[in-house]
C-alpha cells in the first residue's frame, strides 16, 4: 500500500506568509491532482506556540537565519511563523483537506523545533507517524509540499531510515534554498535511497 504525505502547505509558507517559499503555492494544484490517486493522504501542519525556541524573536540580538546552539545541535532561527491559532498556521485555502486520513501537527514542543514528519529535531521525540503507517500496512510513501530542503528532506530521509520506500514528487515541492541547501538536501536524500519522480508518472 502507498500513502501521499503532504508537508506544510500552510499560509505562512506560501507567498505573502511570514516564511514564504518562493512559488510555494504552485504545488497546490499538483498535490490536489495527486490526492485523487491515493487512498491514504496525510497532511503535516507546522504548529508552533508563541515564543518558540526556533524564532529569532525569542533570542535577544538575533535575526532570522542566524544560528544558535541548542541541546540537540545547531538551530537555524526563523521569523515567527505558523503560530498556533493564527491565519498563517492554517492550510492554504486552495488545499482541500477532505481527503486527508490524518493531519499530523509538529513543532508544538516549545523547546524543540521539528522539520521531519517522523521525529522532532532532537531526533528522539517521535511523532508516531512510523507506527501509524505500519499499522495501516503502508510500505511506499510519496512526499510533496514545502520546503524541499527542510521539512520534505528530513521527512524523506527519516522515512527511508524507518524502512519505507520513499519517493519525492519533484514538481509538487518547492524549496527555500539558503546557502546551497537545495543541493545539499538532494544529495543527502539520494544517499539515503530516496527516489525522485514527477507527478505525470503517477497520474
Amino acid at each position: 500500500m502507498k500513502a501521499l504525505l503532504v508537508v506544510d502547505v500552510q499560509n505562512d509558507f506560501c507567498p505573502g506568509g511570514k516564511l514564504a517559499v518562493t512559488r510555494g503555492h504552485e504545488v497546490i494544484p499538483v498535490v490536489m491532482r495527486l490526492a485523487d490517486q491515493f487512498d491514504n493522504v496525510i497532511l503535516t501542519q507546522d504548529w508552533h506556540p508563541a515564543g518558540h525556541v526556533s524564532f529569532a524573536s525569542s533570542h535577544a540580538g538575533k535575526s532570522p537565519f542566524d544560528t544558535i546552539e541548542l541541546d540537540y545541535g545547531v538551530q537555524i532561527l526563523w521569523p515567527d511563523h505558523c503560530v498556533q491559532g493564527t491565519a498563517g498556521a492554517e492550510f492554504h485555502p486552495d488545499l482541500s483537506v477532505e481527503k486527508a486520513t490524518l493531519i499530523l501537527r509538529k513543532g508544538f514542543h516549545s523547546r524543540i523545533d521539528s522539520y521531519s514528519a517522523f521525529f522532532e529535531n532532537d531526533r528522539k521525540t517521535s511523532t508516531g507517524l512510523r507506527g501509524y503507517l505500519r499499522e495501516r500496512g503502508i510500505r511506499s510513501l510519496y512526499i510533496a509540499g514545502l520546503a524541499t530542503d527542510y521539512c520534505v528532506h528530513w521527512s524523506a530521509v527519516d522515512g527511508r531510515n524507518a524502512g519505507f520506500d520513499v519517493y519525492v514528487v519533484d514538481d509538487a515541492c518547492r524549496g527555500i534554498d539558503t546557502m546551497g541547501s537545495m543541493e545539499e538536501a538532494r544529495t543527502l536524500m539520494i544517499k539515503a535511497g530516496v527516489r525522485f519522480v514527477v507527478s505525470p508518472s503517477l497520474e
Side-chain angles (χ1 to χ4, degrees), residues 34-95:
L34 281 175
D36 289 337
Q37 313 302 316
F38 288 81
D39 293 327
N40 298 282
V41 178
I42 300 159
L43 308 181
T44 69
Q45 187 176 23
D46 222 24
W47 195 249
H48 296 306
H52 192 265
V53 71
S54 71
F55 295 166
S57 64
S58 299
H59 305 273
K62 295 296 185 180
S63 301
F65 305 105
D66 286 348
T67 60
I68 60 171
E69 189 77 25
L70 294 176
D71 292 342
Y72 54 81
V74 175
Q75 172 67 53
I76 298 174
L77 298 178
W78 305 106
D80 291 25
H81 65 281
C82 297
V83 174
Q84 296 171 6
T86 66
E90 297 302 318
F91 292 115
H92 191 284
D94 292 340
L95 181 75

Side-chain angles (χ1 to χ4, degrees), residues 18-185:
K18 299 290 180 63
L19 186 51
V21 177
T22 302
R23 298 174 21 241
H25 65 296
E26 293 179 359
V27 307
I28 298 171
V30 184
V31 166
M32 297 311 300
R33 291 197 303 272
L34 281 175
D36 289 337
Q37 313 302 316
F38 288 81
D39 293 327
N40 298 282
V41 178
I42 300 159
L43 308 181
T44 69
Q45 187 176 23
D46 222 24
W47 195 249
H48 296 306
H52 192 265
V53 71
S54 71
F55 295 166
S57 64
S58 299
H59 305 273
K62 295 296 185 180
S63 301
F65 305 105
D66 286 348
T67 60
I68 60 171
E69 189 77 25
L70 294 176
D71 292 342
Y72 54 81
V74 175
Q75 172 67 53
I76 298 174
L77 298 178
W78 305 106
D80 291 25
H81 65 281
C82 297
V83 174
Q84 296 171 6
T86 66
E90 297 302 318
F91 292 115
H92 191 284
D94 292 340
L95 181 75
S96 173
V97 301
E98 283 79 7
K99 189 81 186 287
T101 54
L102 175 69
I103 295 175
L104 187 150
R105 286 175 167 168
K106 59 187 182 65
F108 53 82
H109 296 288
S110 63
R111 305 302 301 171
I112 312 173
D113 204 7
S114 182
Y115 299 155
S116 172
F118 288 89
F119 288 98
E120 307 290 342
N121 285 9
D122 64 357
R123 316 307 298 145
K124 296 182 292 187
T125 306
S126 172
T127 66
L129 180 59
R130 177 173 54 181
Y132 174 87
L133 295 173
R134 286 179 173 170
E135 286 290 326
R136 295 181 69 92
I138 292 164
R139 297 179 178 273
S140 299
L141 194 62
Y142 292 77
I143 305 180
L146 308 171
T148 309
D149 38 348
Y150 287 94
C151 296
V152 169
H153 157 217
W154 285 49
S155 298
V157 171
D158 280 351
R160 281 294 300 139
N161 290 339
F164 298 99
D165 296 324
V166 177
Y167 305 84
V168 168
V169 188
D170 242 353
D171 56 324
C173 299
R174 296 290 183 277
I176 298 173
D177 201 14
T178 59
M179 297 175 290
S181 57
M182 281 286 282
E183 182 178 355
E184 180 183 8

